[in-house]
Amino acid sequence: MLPTHVRTIRAWTLPFLLGYVLAFLLNAKGAAVPQASSYAQRAVLLSEGGSYPFVSVGDQDVADLTTWHFNNQAHAACVIGIWLLYDLVNYNAAAESTVEYVFGQQYCSAGFETDIGGRVSSLRPVGARRDYTLSTLTVYSGLYFQGQAAFSESELPDLTAELGDDNNAWSLMVTGAAEEKWTLYRLSNYSQVVACVFPIESEELYAPGALPDIGAFLGPIGSARIGCPIGVRAVGIPSLGRSRRL
């Protein structure tokens, strides 16, 4: 018998299934359907085959889909918010591998941009779980948003302590409105300003700014906090659109 978080729908076409899963995203566990302005993050992974089982992970970081009985089964996803899907467990921490980015408000992908279909082993949301439109900064210990993550809605005083000392390989995502900038510093405890960063506005409302290699673009950073001092260079970070191979 499948666990309660894995549902099976038999003999339905994929388009009908996607519509069903969108409704499931908005009405989990019998709760009242939120208004369209609700930006709480959720994700549902869809498998392939005649029975189309799927798994709802809510807003959780899932380091190993084996514990959800869904490892290497996802071939598509429906999301509210900003999500990263990884080929390996623990967000590709042990080795660089494929990453799939999926973003949107009630967005369903019929398939993935990468060859990760049938190989998804971990996934996690980006930014605030309760509202993906809030201003946040997430810094990752590896390139292309892999490895450990340090998240904040206000300040990150010591990234080296949180992520390790190889800060040339870090990457970041910044969410929220373009007016809400973040200042990056070369050293811990907000010493030696590097630049301010903000997400560039795009056709996809509230799409995050994504910088897959901080070191190549800005050099190493040691701390960050919201706000931008007068006179500091402001750098717009482009988005990745709806979905993207990384």
Side-chain angles (χ1 to χ4, degrees):
M1 182 176 179
L2 291 174
T4 57
H5 52 261
V6 178
R7 308 296 179 88
T8 302
I9 305 171
R10 299 185 182 279
W12 289 2
T13 64
L14 183 58
F16 190 87
L17 174 67
L18 295 180
Y20 179 88
V21 173
L22 279 176
F24 185 81
L25 274 171
L26 295 176
N27 194 23
K29 299 181 180 179
V33 176
Q35 299 299 311
S37 60
S38 173
Y39 296 111
Q41 305 215 54
R42 288 189 61 78
V44 172
L45 299 179
L46 308 174
S47 71
E48 184 181 55
S51 61
Y52 296 118
F54 67 90
V55 59
S56 171
V57 301
D59 65 353
Q60 300 182 54
D61 289 19
V62 180
D64 187 350
L65 276 167
T66 301
T67 61
W68 290 68
H69 305 275
F70 215 75
N71 190 42
N72 295 333
Q73 293 191 51
H75 284 263
C78 290
V79 305
I80 297 174
I82 310 157
W83 288 81
L84 294 167
L85 285 61
Y86 300 87
D87 180 25
L88 307 177
V89 299
N90 297 316
Y91 323 112
N92 296 353
E96 288 188 10
S97 192
T98 306
V99 183
E100 178 90 10
Y101 161 90
V102 184
F103 161 77
Q105 175 67 7
Q106 304 170 31
Y107 172 72
C108 279
S109 67
F112 294 130
E113 297 290 325
T114 67
D115 58 358
I116 202 172
R119 291 172 33 222
V120 179
S121 293
S122 55
L123 73 157
R124 58 187 169 190
V126 178
R129 274 54 171 170
R130 70 186 185 281
D131 184 344
Y132 71 85
T133 72
L134 295 178
S135 182
T136 71
L137 182 70
T138 308
V139 182
Y140 301 88
S141 63
L143 297 170
Y144 294 95
F145 325 110
Q146 301 176 90
Q148 299 300 312
F151 159 84
S152 180
E153 296 180 32
S154 58
E155 59 183 17
L156 292 165
D158 192 346
L159 287 166
T160 299
E162 294 199 48
L163 298 177
D165 60 4
D166 185 17
N167 55 9
N168 288 301
W170 288 348
S171 48
L172 68 79
M173 284 203 189
V174 57
T175 69
E179 295 79 14
E180 297 176 319
K181 299 176 176 64
W182 286 76
T183 305
L184 307 182
Y185 298 85
R186 188 72 66 209
L187 305 177
S188 62
N189 298 313
Y190 319 116
S191 178
Q192 297 186 19
V193 172
V194 174
C196 296
V197 295
F198 63 93
I200 295 176
E201 292 183 1
S202 69
E203 294 180 358
E204 306 298 340
L205 190 62
Y206 295 116
L211 188 58
D213 185 349
I214 297 173
F217 192 62
L218 295 172
I221 62 170
S223 55
R225 61 183 170 188
I226 198 166
C228 183
I230 295 174
V232 175
R233 175 173 63 119
V235 178
I237 307 299
S239 75
L240 297 172
R242 283 281 193 186
S243 61
R244 177 71 67 88
R245 175 176 183 162
L246 300 175

